[in-house]
Amino acid sequence: MDPIVVDLTPENPVFEMPSACMSCFSEGMTRLMLTKIPYFKEIIISSFSCEHCHNFNSSVQPASSLAEKGVKYTLTVTNIKELNRQVIKSEFATITVPDIDLEIPREAQKGSSSTVEGFLTKTRDGLLDKQPERKEICPELAEQIDKFCSRLDDLLLVEKQFTFILEDPTGNSFIENPNAPKPDPHLKMEHYIRSKDDEDVLGITEMKENAQEENEEENEEEKSQVVQNEESEVITFEAMCNACGKEAVCNMKEVQIPFFKKILLMANVCDHCGYRDSEVKSAGGISEKGQRITLKMTDSDMDLDRDILKSETATVNIPELEVELTCGSLGGRFTTIEGLLHQIKDQLESINPFSFGDSKTPSDKQSGGAMSSVIQGIQDIIDHKILVELIVKDPAGNSYIQNVYAPDEDPNLTVEEFERTAEDNDDLGISDMKTEGYEEDTS
């Protein structure tokens, strides 16, 4: 059987089906193409056209499941060049520009692929639509719209910097990083846990309720309980699948890392859709000081087999390749150096889809070449062709690289402690903690 979703090529099949036009109610034509954006995700490109009233619209929708968490991009626009960044906005994403109190809700421009300038221009054009009629009917409102559009025009000239925020609870939206694989000083990406309102909008709440009802019908005599295997000390409990929203199983085990700390290994398995995920959490608290761990590779066979614990608060840096994974990237991971490099390589291939394949523009050639060079560099490390320096910096002090000479000192491994900055404490939530006198606030 031929695959439904295929790579993006000029020969991609297009599915056509007659459908009603919502403007003149005559019969129009809807065209669908299921494809993949290179190094990004599977998408559905749809367009509708009506030969009777010439109505036309198009949209882009993700064909893959929801991401584990929502995503929020904050872009600081400082010059006109920033307006050319590619943006993918899913049907559930919102765009805000706090500087002029602009919000593009999820209902507007949903399922669109454009640039920062394109989204702002389309918003302005939409506001100016039917403005002559509006001036006759409600001149005061028309005047307010003209003033607001004037502020939008100023933004498009970038006479002063402004903030462009893209927030998507599905995690399927994207803003281009033209500096990839290097960190972008003007672009901040944050992942967040979806709220109850987000789950209601996405239909996850209904999926949970339906899954719960199905589970109760199938297991009327069974009760939800925590099972502990005394031999392996694995704790098993029920959880929700992040992919399909149905009931899944979470296995958790506390592990003691020699010469380090205790950690929690968590693995989620869904029997309904087959989704699997794993994560590592620290079993202890935040250390008194942060840690910087530096490994100078001298023997590929030995160094690539070293165990490494990268907490979700740690950054990973490879100076020779100018690669830095920011805090939160990949989440918590307990693997080997080689395993982590494979995950970093996969991450880099997915963070900037516009630098590869048919989606690449002439302005992307330089950044796309840099990305390919870095990915090849990581592959060379895995293939034992080059030796590099690996730096793990963790303000929480919960990361670890195995000392293969333990209990003796490792000549190639350096562990340094450092005082956290105020920004580190804010990111870890320490600044908001109140450990004394908090009972006085309760009334």
Side-chain angles (χ1 to χ4, degrees):
M1 181 182 294
D2 295 333
I4 297 177
V5 179
V6 297
D7 293 329
L8 187 61
T9 65
E11 294 78 25
N12 277 21
V14 176
F15 304 95
E16 296 185 349
M17 62 186 74
S19 54
C21 175
M22 293 295 99
S23 294
C24 68
F25 302 104
S26 299
E27 186 178 279
M29 183 63 68
T30 296
R31 294 174 175 84
L32 298 174
M33 182 172 68
L34 285 74
T35 185
K36 299 176 183 177
I37 294 181
Y39 301 95
F40 188 49
K41 294 185 178 181
E42 297 172 346
I43 61 170
I44 301 173
I45 302 175
S46 64
S47 68
F48 173 82
S49 60
C50 177
E51 61 180 11
H52 302 282
C53 67
H54 305 291
N55 179 32
F56 176 83
N57 61 67
S58 60
S59 67
V60 178
Q61 297 179 350
S64 54
S65 60
L66 302 179
E68 182 179 352
K69 297 180 180 179
V71 66
K72 179 181 179 181
Y73 290 92
T74 304
L75 173 65
T76 302
V77 180
T78 58
N79 54 63
I80 292 181
K81 187 178 180 181
E82 304 282 353
L83 297 177
N84 295 325
R85 290 180 186 246
Q86 297 287 332
V87 179
I88 294 177
K89 177 184 179 295
S90 81
E91 59 180 323
F92 294 101
T94 59
I95 294 176
T96 56
V97 182
D99 303 74
I100 60 172
D101 296 325
L102 169 66
E103 177 176 343
I104 304 176
R106 61 175 182 270
E107 296 85 1
Q109 303 189 45
K110 61 182 181 179
S112 302
S113 176
S114 185
T115 62
V116 174
E117 181 181 11
F119 279 103
L120 296 178
T121 301
K122 192 169 183 179
T123 299
R124 181 199 60 192
D125 294 343
L127 290 172
L128 292 176
D129 186 36
K130 298 183 180 180
Q131 187 72 337
E133 294 91 335
R134 195 178 292 115
K135 288 181 179 180
E136 296 180 2
I137 300 173
C138 187
E140 295 179 357
L141 176 60
E143 183 179 357
Q144 294 177 3
I145 291 176
D146 284 337
K147 290 181 179 179
F148 187 83
C149 290
S150 177
R151 297 172 65 186
L152 266 175
D153 289 334
D154 292 339
L155 283 188
L156 293 171
L157 294 175
V158 197
E159 295 182 346
K160 62 178 181 179
Q161 74 174 37
F162 65 92
T163 305
F164 183 92
I165 301 173
L166 174 65
E167 186 169 352
D168 185 5
T170 70
N172 288 327
S173 293
F174 186 84
I175 294 183
E176 176 190 12
N177 172 10
N179 300 321
K182 299 179 182 178
D184 191 331
H186 297 149
L187 182 64
K188 181 180 180 182
M189 182 180 66
E190 305 170 88
H191 293 282
Y192 63 89
I193 303 296
R194 283 186 277 265
S195 66
K196 179 65 167 58
D197 292 338
D198 291 335
E199 292 186 345
D200 291 342
V201 171
L202 298 178
I204 296 178
T205 303
E206 185 178 353
M207 292 167 62
K208 287 182 180 178
E209 293 174 352
N210 293 338
Q212 185 175 358
E213 291 176 1
E214 291 177 7
N215 186 65
E216 289 176 354
E217 292 175 0
E218 296 173 0
N219 308 284
E220 292 180 358
E221 298 180 358
E222 295 182 7
K223 294 183 179 180
S224 175
Q225 58 181 353
V226 176
V227 179
Q228 182 168 356
N229 185 321
E230 295 180 357
E231 295 182 358
S232 62
E233 298 180 351
V234 175
I235 298 175
T236 302
F237 54 91
E238 294 177 353
M240 187 200 75
C241 175
N242 292 315
C244 68
K246 294 186 177 181
E247 200 170 87
V249 175
C250 180
N251 298 314
M252 181 174 69
K253 181 177 181 180
E254 187 178 68
V255 177
Q256 174 69 55
I257 297 181
F259 306 101
F260 188 55
K261 298 179 180 180
K262 289 184 177 180
I263 62 171
L264 293 177
L265 295 177
M266 304 178 69
N268 296 305
V269 181
C270 179
D271 293 332
H272 299 279
C273 67
Y275 177 78
R276 294 172 180 266
D277 185 32
S278 62
E279 194 171 0
V280 179
K281 302 269 187 189
S282 172
I286 298 174
S287 301
E288 184 177 347
K289 294 182 179 180
Q291 279 190 340
R292 182 184 294 102
I293 308 172
T294 304
L295 171 65
K296 295 182 178 179
M297 296 180 62
T298 57
D299 185 326
S300 294
D301 289 323
M302 177 180 67
D303 291 329
L304 290 176
D305 286 337
R306 289 179 187 253
D307 290 333
I308 180 171
L309 168 64
K310 188 200 85 68
S311 80
E312 57 187 3
T313 59
T315 62
V316 179
N317 184 21
I318 305 177
E320 289 84 353
L321 302 180
E322 297 184 341
V323 172
E324 181 177 349
L325 258 67
T326 56
C327 171
S329 299
L330 296 178
R333 289 289 182 266
F334 183 41
T335 179
T336 62
I337 298 291
E338 182 177 359
L340 182 65
L341 289 173
H342 278 293
Q343 292 171 358
I344 292 175
K345 178 172 172 284
D346 294 341
Q347 175 82 353
L348 291 176
E349 288 177 340
S350 65
I351 59 175
N352 200 11
F354 299 106
S355 295
F356 299 91
D358 294 337
S359 61
K360 181 167 63 176
T361 63
S363 61
D364 294 327
K365 289 182 179 179
Q366 185 174 356
S367 60
M371 175 72 79
S372 299
S373 176
V374 169
I375 293 174
Q376 183 58 50
I378 295 176
Q379 188 61 50
D380 288 342
I381 302 173
I382 297 172
D383 294 338
H384 300 194
K385 294 181 179 179
I386 59 174
L387 299 171
V388 296
E389 187 176 75
L390 185 72
I391 302 173
V392 178
K393 182 180 178 183
D394 188 355
N398 289 326
S399 294
Y400 159 88
I401 295 180
Q402 180 186 10
N403 176 359
V404 294
Y405 296 93
D408 297 329
E409 290 188 3
D410 191 327
N412 302 318
L413 190 65
T414 305
V415 180
E416 305 169 276
E417 292 187 337
F418 62 88
E419 296 289 344
R420 282 186 288 268
T421 64
E423 184 178 356
D424 290 334
N425 289 331
D426 288 339
D427 292 338
L428 295 174
I430 298 177
S431 303
D432 298 326
M433 293 182 183
K434 188 174 184 181
T435 58
E436 296 180 357
Y438 52 86
E439 61 276 358
E440 298 175 0
D441 294 338
T442 61
S443 56

